[in-house]
Amino acid sequence: MSLVNFWYLLIAVLWIGYFFLEGFDFGVGILTKVLARDETNRRVLINTIGPVWDGNEVWVITAVGATFAAFPNWYATLLSGFYVPLLLVLLSLIVRNVAFEYRGKSDARHRPWWDWCIFLGSLLPPLLWGLVFGCMFSGTKIGDDMNFHGRMSDFLTTFDGLVGALAFLALFLTHGAVYTALKTRGPIRDSARRLAVPGALVSLVLVGVLLGRINGHWGGPLSWTVGVVPLVALLACAAVVRLGRDGWAFVLSGAAVATMVASMFIAMFPIVMPSSLDPQWSLTVHSAASSHYTLTVMSVVACVFTPLVLLYQGWTYWVFRKRIGVRNIPAAH
């Protein structure tokens, strides 16, 4: 495998890891306004992701940083062309992270404001990420100079972008509901299970439409095969949730997230950003890549530090693996 292909694979893995971990993170944040009926239940939900949400966000930083170093032309075209939605993602994450930190330090009068910040900061990123990935893989107005020549309003009129936004939102909400059922006990766990079943079925339809359009235009036998897996996983997830097998349900919802993103990256290879103006102007892994020396140095660093990060994050999840409920929430100050 060449270094260029290796780094395309690694960046795909980083995005898969980010959406797998941050997907249930966003879902739980949305559920704080959907499932939580009172302050105690809301604290239960927030505490399920309290030890891990900031570690999950490291994956997107690494993915974007790796794209900048390994494929600078891809990075430049992506961030300049999708400047507005990506800026909104950044602002949403900032507001959400501040809300997590300050919610417990504020009085009862201001706490509802922080709750809305958590909700909106969890709702907008899935919509925006789905919009970006749907538009990026369906084709954007890239010229022969590798620059974006469209308008920001183009994103809102692209069918694949809108379907991508809804598919990401529905899938992450389902992933979050399954994670809530896995990590909690009591009535809130039952409510999460009731929400997960219809969420999985809605996600199945939206993800199927999104992958069908992307694979129908760019895909091959491998991407089509991988693209069937999230549909089967979501159907099985709905059945397993009804049986009360929360662990297996989480594995299946996570597999749906991972294989959905994997199918998109496999379908596009070796293209990283197709041009809707002229296919010859599309960015490929070779036209967008850094020098061989840069990729070599980065490969050494990645092989040393990536296992360490995985071990540390895995240890964090193991330490905080137990369920929590209302009885685990101390009285508010």
Side-chain angles (χ1 to χ4, degrees):
M1 179 185 294
S2 67
L3 287 177
V4 171
N5 294 346
F6 169 77
W7 274 97
Y8 181 82
L9 174 63
L10 183 57
I11 288 173
V13 170
L14 290 172
W15 281 111
I16 290 171
Y18 171 64
F19 288 132
F20 175 86
L21 296 172
E22 195 82 312
F24 69 75
D25 205 326
F26 289 140
V28 172
I30 297 171
L31 292 177
T32 57
K33 282 291 184 182
V34 178
L35 295 183
R37 302 300 182 186
D38 53 33
E39 170 64 13
T40 303
N41 282 322
R42 190 166 291 114
R43 290 173 65 189
V44 170
L45 284 172
I46 293 175
N47 285 352
T48 62
I49 58 174
V52 298
W53 65 264
D54 49 354
N56 294 344
E57 292 185 357
V58 172
W59 286 77
V60 70
I61 298 172
T62 307
V64 174
T67 304
F68 168 74
F71 300 99
N73 291 324
W74 183 10
Y75 173 90
T77 305
L78 175 64
L79 267 72
S80 60
F82 294 88
Y83 179 82
V84 171
L86 292 177
L87 177 61
L88 292 175
V89 169
L90 179 60
L91 293 176
S92 298
L93 294 179
I94 292 173
V95 170
R96 178 174 180 265
N97 296 352
V98 171
F100 277 130
E101 296 294 340
Y102 278 86
R103 183 186 186 278
K105 300 177 176 63
S106 63
D107 54 30
R109 184 180 58 178
H110 296 99
R111 195 170 296 132
W113 290 99
W114 296 121
D115 291 337
W116 277 108
C117 288
I118 293 174
F119 172 74
L120 294 175
S122 302
L123 177 67
L124 290 178
L127 289 170
L128 295 168
W129 281 126
L131 180 70
V132 169
F133 272 73
C135 291
M136 179 174 69
F137 287 148
S138 65
T140 50
K141 295 180 179 179
I142 301 174
D144 58 352
D145 55 357
M146 298 187 184
N147 290 325
F148 177 74
H149 291 277
R151 297 175 298 176
M152 294 302 169
S153 59
D154 294 343
F155 304 139
L156 300 177
T157 58
T158 302
F159 180 76
D160 292 320
L162 298 177
V163 172
L166 295 176
F168 273 54
L169 177 61
L171 185 55
F172 289 178
L173 185 60
T174 303
H175 197 29
V178 172
Y179 179 80
T180 300
L182 176 66
K183 290 289 292 180
T184 60
R185 57 169 66 94
I188 198 167
R189 178 187 182 189
D190 299 331
S191 298
R193 285 175 173 172
R194 287 194 294 269
L195 180 64
V197 174
L201 298 179
V202 172
S203 300
L204 187 152
V205 174
L206 292 171
V207 171
V209 173
L210 176 64
L211 294 182
R213 289 184 61 85
I214 292 176
N215 283 300
H217 193 66
W218 305 102
L222 180 58
S223 66
W224 274 108
T225 302
V226 175
V228 173
V229 176
L231 309 183
V232 176
L234 286 168
L235 190 62
C237 178
V240 169
V241 167
R242 295 181 65 88
L243 297 176
R245 303 297 297 272
D246 300 321
W248 281 109
F250 181 71
V251 170
L252 289 168
S253 65
V257 175
T259 51
M260 177 191 72
V261 181
S263 178
M264 296 170 74
F265 274 93
I266 294 171
M268 298 309 302
F269 183 80
I271 297 173
V272 293
M273 285 190 72
S275 172
S276 60
L277 299 178
D278 190 331
Q280 296 183 352
W281 296 343
S282 299
L283 295 181
T284 66
V285 291
H286 299 286
S287 64
S290 292
S291 66
H292 181 79
Y293 177 77
T294 301
L295 296 178
T296 301
V297 173
M298 289 174 56
S299 299
V300 174
V301 174
C303 290
V304 172
F305 288 101
T306 302
L308 296 177
V309 173
L310 292 175
L311 286 173
Y312 173 76
Q313 194 161 23
W315 176 78
T316 302
Y317 277 93
W318 176 255
V319 170
F320 296 100
R321 66 188 181 277
K322 293 185 178 181
R323 297 179 185 268
I324 64 173
V326 172
R327 68 184 183 184
N328 302 113
I329 304 298
H333 294 295

